[in-house]
Amino acid sequence: MSLPSSAVSGILQRLRTETRPYHDALELNQFNQNLEAGTLSEATTTHFLAKMYGFLKPYEDRLRHYTLPPSWQQEQRYRAHLILEDLGTDAAALPLCPALPPLDTLPQLLGAMYVMEGSTLGGQVIARQLVKANIPTRAYFTGYAERTGPMWKSFCQQLSAAAAPENEDEIVQSASRTFQHLETWLNKA
Ligand code: HEM
């Protein structure tokens, strides 16, 4: 007997629960602290965007090594170029994170994708905070805009379908590592 619905929630539930401490750790970032305190400045926002680019760009370069089926909407999920638009800068001017987690297998890639796609949800919150703080809205945070919810839902469906008992651990481990590498890059590097 197959139990598709519990299998669907299984990987997402595990990812959410097991990576939550890392999501929380990200919030110790200067940008997030200013966000919460309502004291965001343009300078902090610009610095955060530059750092995000440094992680997103090498991640997307790895993603380009894979050709996922059209249902993953892979082409629509590249967002590093939005940061270049926001900063009005040349890619060459921004430092890239030298230490990405290993993304050599599909399960490893999917774990990282979970983290980077999930960040679009926080982006929506940030976009609203920027408006409140009278800081110009940035394309990166707006991201998929009104398609954010559907894009996330659709990603979750694809991920659930791709997950299986034999690759779940690898997906979750890669998501945890991705959060940790991102946190190190944003907060400590
Ligand atoms: C670059 C940093 C961030 C990354 C990589 C990230 C990643 C994620 C991920 C993977 C999820 C999906 C969790 C799930 O499975 O439901 C998520 C959800 C979310 N994140 Fe973040 N996040 C980041 C920053 C933020 C920030 C700064 C905020 C707050 C302003 C935030 C607020 C949220 C919210 C509201 C959700 C949705 C929770 C829900 O619907 O249950 N995130 N984020």
Side-chain angles (χ1 to χ4, degrees):
M1 193 174 75
S2 70
L3 293 169
S5 57
S6 64
V8 164
S9 64
I11 182 69
L12 296 172
Q13 192 56 52
R14 271 195 69 183
L15 282 164
R16 185 168 298 165
T17 310
E18 294 180 39
T19 66
R20 181 159 299 153
Y22 307 120
H23 191 278
D24 293 351
L26 269 177
E27 288 172 18
L28 298 174
N29 180 271
Q30 186 67 49
F31 175 79
N32 294 345
Q33 297 210 325
N34 287 345
L35 182 76
E36 277 177 25
T39 54
L40 263 188
S41 68
E42 282 222 52
T44 321
T45 307
T46 301
H47 177 73
F48 179 77
L49 283 170
K51 291 294 275 188
M52 276 310 293
Y53 181 85
F55 198 86
L56 199 55
K57 175 71 170 80
Y59 153 77
E60 289 185 356
D61 287 344
R62 302 309 301 267
L63 176 57
R64 282 179 218 279
H65 289 165
Y66 294 82
T67 306
L68 300 173
S71 52
W72 288 85
Q73 299 162 291
Q74 183 175 355
E75 285 306 314
Q76 297 177 45
R77 294 185 187 276
Y78 295 109
R79 292 181 296 128
H81 64 97
L82 296 177
I83 299 183
L84 295 182
E85 281 170 30
D86 284 332
L87 298 181
T89 190
D90 199 296
L94 301 172
L96 301 181
C97 175
L100 247 57
L103 300 175
D104 305 319
T105 68
L106 185 60
Q108 286 174 348
L109 178 84
L110 296 182
M113 224 177 155
Y114 163 79
V115 178
M116 303 321 288
E117 289 301 315
S119 71
T120 64
L121 304 175
Q124 295 296 292
V125 180
I126 294 167
R128 285 194 293 275
Q129 296 280 352
L130 290 177
V131 171
K132 269 199 213 157
N134 281 324
I135 295 173
T137 307
R138 310 301 175 106
Y140 169 72
F141 296 124
T142 308
Y144 309 135
E146 66 284 350
R147 291 187 304 124
T148 303
M151 287 291 280
W152 173 245
K153 201 172 162 210
S154 150
F155 171 76
C156 287
Q157 283 165 350
Q158 300 307 316
L159 181 60
S160 300
E166 59 276 15
N167 66 18
E168 268 193 15
D169 285 347
E170 201 183 350
I171 295 174
V172 176
Q173 187 187 46
S174 179
S176 299
R177 279 195 188 146
T178 303
F179 263 119
Q180 287 169 293
H181 283 248
L182 177 60
E183 202 253 322
T184 301
W185 171 245
L186 288 178
N187 296 353
K188 299 175 191 136

